[in-house]
Amino acid sequence: MLAELERMTADEMEHAFLGVLRDADVAEEVRLPSRPESAGVARRLVLSVLQSWKLHHLLEVGELLTGELVANAVRHAGGRMIGLKLIRRPGWLRIEVRDSSRAMPCLILAPEIGYQNGHGLQVVNELADRWGADLLPRGKGVWFEVRTRV
């Protein structure tokens, strides 16, 4: 199955996984190859799901923060797959990115001048209402939550 996923284009992945994520009652995880283009796929999936859930006011923050978490997982986790999960509860939206590394993320409050990395979690910290990371049996899940009006 991994080999099949790795051969899929970004458009094919988006088409294959959109229906799984849209069902708010199921809260299934979508598995994506750990490669840079998966960040774009994840952002587009989140945009489509949020539009279908009528959470238009969260489109920008959902897209941006999902991209940051996926980019971190691809860059730092070293695994072959990442997971994307959206959970909607009354008053809250939670987006989680899972990877195979058990190394927990850390917020770098003042990256060195000229340092190109280290800003992703600062953005998450500033824009999300809550965020965190949980150890899982086979890796970790890094998540953020934002309040919904619906």
Side-chain angles (χ1 to χ4, degrees):
M1 180 168 161
L2 177 59
E4 289 176 26
L5 283 174
E6 289 177 333
R7 284 192 296 271
M8 292 174 82
T9 67
D11 288 339
E12 290 169 335
M13 284 189 284
E14 185 177 350
H15 180 73
F17 298 132
L18 187 55
V20 173
L21 290 174
R22 278 192 177 157
D23 189 348
D25 296 324
V26 176
E28 282 194 42
E29 174 184 286
V30 166
R31 308 267 301 149
L32 301 170
S34 183
R35 58 187 192 202
E37 56 268 27
S38 289
V41 172
R43 287 191 307 267
R44 288 191 302 275
L45 287 169
V46 165
L47 285 174
S48 292
V49 170
L50 295 181
Q51 287 172 342
S52 74
W53 289 351
K54 309 280 190 258
L55 296 175
H56 302 285
H57 63 288
L58 298 177
L59 291 175
E60 188 174 342
V61 73
E63 177 187 24
L64 176 64
L65 300 186
T66 298
E68 293 294 342
L69 293 188
V70 172
N72 281 349
V74 169
R75 185 177 303 119
H76 301 295
R80 293 183 67 192
M81 300 293 289
I82 59 170
L84 174 66
K85 190 172 187 176
L86 284 78
I87 302 167
R88 185 176 180 187
R89 298 186 322 261
W92 290 94
L93 169 71
R94 180 183 185 123
I95 297 178
E96 182 174 348
V97 175
R98 296 176 175 197
D99 63 56
S100 60
S101 172
R102 293 183 56 84
M104 299 300 274
C106 61
L107 178 63
I108 300 171
L109 294 176
E112 295 176 23
I113 295 173
Y115 190 66
Q116 297 298 316
N117 296 322
H119 300 284
L121 285 180
Q122 280 186 324
V123 172
V124 174
N125 190 56
E126 290 294 320
L127 298 179
D129 292 302
R130 302 189 284 230
W131 75 275
D134 299 318
L135 283 176
L136 303 171
R138 291 192 174 102
K140 71 176 170 301
V142 182
W143 52 268
F144 68 88
E145 292 182 335
V146 289
R147 287 185 179 91
T148 64
R149 292 184 227 153
V150 180

